[in-house]
Amino acid sequence: MAGKKISRNNDFFDMVYEVTRLIPYGRVSTYGAIARYLGTGRSARMVGWALNACHNNPVFIPAHRVVNRNGILTGKHHFGNSTTMRQLLENEGIVVEDDQIVNFREKFWDPLSELQ
DNA sequence: ATTCTGACAGCAA
DNA sequence: TTTGCTGCCAGAA
């Protein structure tokens, strides 16, 4: 192999993808929670940036299960149509009203406490 | 190398 | 309560 770098080694991006993949079906997490789990609690924006490039990853990543700390679908505009993210969530039994997850507190999955 | 930007979060008015 | 500004970090131009 003549030094072909498809994806960087375990970068922050891959870490984000890995955690995001661990979010259970029907549950959601937040950018800040993932960032905090990775140790860099103040890089929540980087989590979003990483998910923005998640299409580079061959593995499916349930990025629709990641919302902001208020349970709002701030990244819906990055799923092609503005309704795709909401549909994906509702498909998993999550109720979304006005771009916000209903009973977000109950659906919230925190890697810090769940994965320990 | 320097500057800009962003799928956030926290805090001040 | 809602709105707006600031800090944050890493990648892209």
Side-chain angles (χ1 to χ4, degrees):
Chain A
M1 317 312 208
K4 189 167 185 176
K5 48 181 183 185
I6 300 177
S7 61
R8 277 96 191 196
N9 293 337
N10 297 346
D11 258 12
F12 183 82
F13 279 37
D14 288 322
M15 302 282 281
V16 172
Y17 300 155
E18 200 169 330
V19 179
T20 303
R21 237 176 285 144
L22 295 177
I23 302 174
Y25 182 94
R27 302 291 296 281
V28 294
S29 193
T30 70
Y31 304 97
I34 294 174
R36 194 174 304 173
Y37 175 76
L38 295 179
T40 56
R42 290 163 186 168
S43 338
R45 307 180 86 181
M46 291 297 87
V47 175
W49 189 255
L51 293 178
N52 183 40
C54 73
H55 295 293
N56 296 330
N57 196 305
V59 185
F60 170 74
I61 299 174
H64 60 280
R65 295 179 190 150
V66 184
V67 297
N68 76 348
R69 80 168 201 80
N70 297 315
I72 300 176
L73 283 55
T74 52
K76 67 171 185 178
H77 202 282
H78 290 262
F79 287 81
N81 287 333
S82 300
T83 57
T84 303
M85 186 176 185
R86 176 174 61 79
Q87 291 179 348
L88 286 172
L89 289 172
E90 292 182 332
N91 221 5
E92 301 186 359
I94 296 176
V95 182
V96 179
E97 185 173 318
D98 193 31
D99 293 337
Q100 185 168 24
I101 295 177
V102 179
N103 295 328
F104 171 64
R105 191 86 182 231
E106 301 175 2
K107 304 292 184 181
F108 178 56
W109 180 84
D110 187 359
L112 271 179
S113 50
E114 299 291 342
L115 297 177
Q116 299 180 6

